[in-house]
Amino acid sequence: MTRPRILVVGAGFAGVECVRRLERKLAVDEADVTLVTPFAYQLYLPLLPQVASGVLTPQSIAVSLRRSRRYRTRILPGGAIGVDLKAKVCVVRTITDQLVNEPYDYIVLAPGSVTRTFDIPGLTDHAYGMKTLAEAAYIRDHVIAQLDLADASDDPTERASRLQFVVVGGGYAGTETAACLQRLTHAAVKRYPRIDPSLIKWHLIDIAPKLMPELGDKLGSSAQEILRKRGIDISLGVSIAKAGPEEVTFTDGRVVPTRTLIWTAGVVASPLIATLGAETVRGRLAVNAEMTLPGSDGVFALGDAAAVPDEIKGGEGAVCPPTAQHAMRQGRHVADNVIAALRGGPMYPYAHRDLGLVVDLGGRDAVSKPLGIELRGVPAQAVARGYHWSALRTNVAKTRVMTNWVLNALAGDDFVRTGFQARKEAKLKDFEFTDAYLSPEQVRARVEGSGRVD
């Protein structure tokens, strides 16, 4: 008899926690575990803004999945682009651009999310995202390049457009990105004697009426006050009407000359979910409290891609938010339920009480709400960095991050760019490969062998 095949899709917080739990709890010959991911590392997403600002190196938050020899999971380098639930086959496009059919007995869908975009003229052609490690590193290069190019230019119009920066999205990602990058430019411009520091302007805009509403009115207002004191212009109830290569038009009619539009206005579930042809809730796969897909044998889903019922909040339609805190715990819980299904035991519903929120605004500035306690300044910063540091999965990653923090605090930044800007610029549409997925019909044709998908 062949061993049961467990296929885990995605190496984010949910997928990696699930795999590691399976490895610890399954007997060596009890099942074969395969992890589908294009990159053999787990990305610690909450610290991406610190990579963009140069506080952390990219390698410090990319936790290797191959470092330990005791793990036995097979890593399949590629991206899942379709799932046939009836045939129990996942279609994977490998990093060599080949399509392979990967059969499974149990599948754990944790493909995460992609940047949410809207039908705004010029958005995907001219905006940068903040969802991948490559984007964070690229944005750092781009921002420093704008200072270099402004310093080299004698054209006042060009200078004005290069020294204004727009961040769309008043959630955690957008707020921390604007805060961290503003600190970068504020420190860097001191090394450019030809540039007037007052010309550098950062704009943070969001269509919502409040900045980070999850923090509550007091902490949200504190965060706004901190950013405004730094000179960041915050506009709420405003979005982008259109984007161009050298200017952005806001929905309130303002036209801002800029070469830097960073889009962080939310996320949506991975396009992989649409290939299943199953019921969704606001784009996320509709699952039950055990995180199984009703009507489908051996299918589990969690994290950003699944609408997992929130048993703690209760109420009709309450689902867990797409946060790392929930994803990590769901990963471990799903692993337990997969093992229970494998062994014929009972599965249990997922329930977790939110531990709070942390927002690192760079330097000594932060706002945090651990266990409902509102903190500001240095205490909030200590909680924020302590939480992130403890959540890193390996001691190597913890050492790298702590070393980076200490070194940056003592020595500052060298404002070095690595030369990404020397070639064709890459924008939002170039990083997340959202056009790579199949339709449900293409998946079925591929699996049945009655059609070819190129």
Side-chain angles (χ1 to χ4, degrees):
M1 290 180 62
T2 59
R3 288 193 293 263
R5 296 161 297 190
I6 302 173
L7 184 66
V8 180
V9 176
F13 291 107
V16 171
E17 288 295 321
C18 177
V19 165
R20 295 307 185 225
R21 184 86 154 202
L22 289 172
E23 289 176 327
R24 286 193 297 270
K25 288 199 163 189
L26 286 172
V28 175
D29 59 351
E30 194 171 1
D32 291 327
V33 182
T34 300
L35 175 64
V36 179
T37 173
F39 306 107
Y41 62 77
Q42 177 193 6
L43 177 63
Y44 193 85
L45 271 170
L47 292 178
L48 268 185
Q50 295 192 34
V51 170
S53 64
V55 174
L56 298 176
T57 61
Q59 188 181 8
S60 63
I61 67 167
V63 185
S64 174
L65 300 178
R66 298 189 187 274
R67 189 172 185 87
S68 176
R69 295 179 181 179
R70 66 188 178 91
Y71 295 128
R72 62 180 189 274
T73 295
R74 172 197 171 206
I75 296 177
L76 178 57
I81 59 173
V83 178
D84 188 325
L85 297 176
K86 292 182 180 179
K88 287 196 168 186
V89 170
C90 179
V91 181
V92 178
R93 188 184 297 276
T94 68
I95 58 174
T96 58
D97 210 31
Q98 293 178 307
L99 293 186
V100 298
N101 292 353
E102 193 68 23
Y104 64 84
D105 296 295
Y106 301 91
I107 187 169
V108 177
L109 296 170
S113 57
V114 296
T115 302
R116 177 181 61 183
T117 57
F118 300 98
D119 190 20
I120 298 173
L123 176 63
T124 58
D125 291 323
H126 301 295
Y128 301 95
M130 181 61 79
K131 195 75 173 65
T132 68
L133 192 62
E135 283 175 315
Y138 189 90
I139 285 175
R140 171 177 167 78
D141 250 28
H142 171 80
V143 169
I144 296 175
Q146 300 316 297
L147 298 179
D148 287 342
L149 292 166
D151 184 60
S153 176
D154 293 319
D155 182 352
T157 302
E158 180 183 353
R159 276 194 166 194
S161 67
R162 294 199 182 279
L163 297 177
Q164 291 206 67
F165 307 87
V166 178
V167 179
V168 183
Y172 303 112
T175 302
E176 290 187 338
T177 296
C180 291
L181 287 174
Q182 186 274 338
R183 281 182 59 85
L184 170 67
T185 55
H186 178 75
V189 74
K190 298 173 183 177
R191 317 296 170 88
Y192 293 83
R194 294 186 68 239
I195 296 179
D196 181 356
S198 66
L199 294 177
I200 297 180
K201 297 179 182 178
W202 280 87
H203 303 266
L204 175 61
I205 72 172
D206 195 283
I207 196 66
K210 295 180 180 179
L211 201 67
M212 296 180 294
E214 299 89 345
L215 283 174
D217 291 339
K218 289 184 180 180
L219 283 185
S221 297
S222 295
Q224 283 187 229
E225 186 63 24
I226 290 170
L227 298 182
R228 284 189 168 128
K229 281 183 178 179
R230 288 197 199 166
I232 297 176
D233 179 64
I234 300 173
S235 300
L236 300 174
V238 176
S239 189
I240 297 295
K242 64 179 179 178
E246 297 180 11
E247 66 179 27
V248 170
T249 303
F250 293 177
T251 51
D252 62 4
R254 282 181 291 163
V255 179
V256 175
T258 182
R259 309 290 180 99
T260 309
L261 170 61
I262 302 174
W263 181 267
T264 64
V267 296
V268 294
S270 165
L272 176 67
I273 298 305
T275 73
L276 276 66
E279 182 184 353
T280 59
V281 177
R282 294 191 293 277
R284 299 167 73 183
L285 196 61
V287 296
N288 56 30
E290 290 76 27
M291 290 177 282
T292 64
L293 181 64
S296 296
D297 179 47
V299 179
F300 298 78
L302 66 163
D304 293 6
V308 179
D310 193 329
E311 298 284 292
I312 298 298
K313 288 186 178 178
E316 187 177 352
V319 298
C320 296
T323 63
Q325 185 180 145
H326 277 287
M328 292 170 71
R329 288 164 176 81
Q330 287 172 6
R332 294 192 286 269
H333 196 93
V334 155
D336 291 340
N337 280 348
V338 170
I339 293 171
L342 183 67
R343 297 173 180 172
M347 292 187 286
Y348 296 96
Y350 168 78
H352 167 63
R353 191 175 298 279
D354 203 308
L355 297 178
L357 307 164
V358 295
V359 182
D360 190 336
L361 300 175
R364 298 181 178 181
D365 295 327
V367 289
S368 301
K369 197 174 182 180
L371 302 174
I373 302 170
E374 296 187 351
L375 300 174
R376 300 167 180 80
V378 174
Q381 182 67 281
V383 169
R385 294 203 169 180
Y387 173 79
H388 290 315
W389 185 82
S390 64
L392 290 164
R393 192 172 49 78
T394 68
N395 290 329
V396 172
K398 289 179 180 180
T399 301
R400 283 179 176 150
V401 167
M402 183 60 72
T403 302
N404 284 176
W405 279 338
V406 172
L407 186 61
N408 184 266
L410 295 177
D413 200 330
D414 290 325
F415 313 112
V416 173
R417 58 189 178 97
T418 54
F420 286 129
Q421 297 295 313
R423 295 182 173 84
K424 177 181 178 290
E425 287 200 358
K427 297 293 172 45
L428 185 67
K429 64 179 182 178
D430 298 310
F431 282 99
E432 296 188 40
F433 309 106
T434 53
D435 58 349
Y437 296 85
L438 305 179
S439 68
E441 294 75 23
Q442 287 175 315
V443 174
R444 171 59 66 179
R446 163 76 192 179
V447 172
E448 292 180 346
S450 60
R452 181 178 173 182
V453 180
D454 295 317

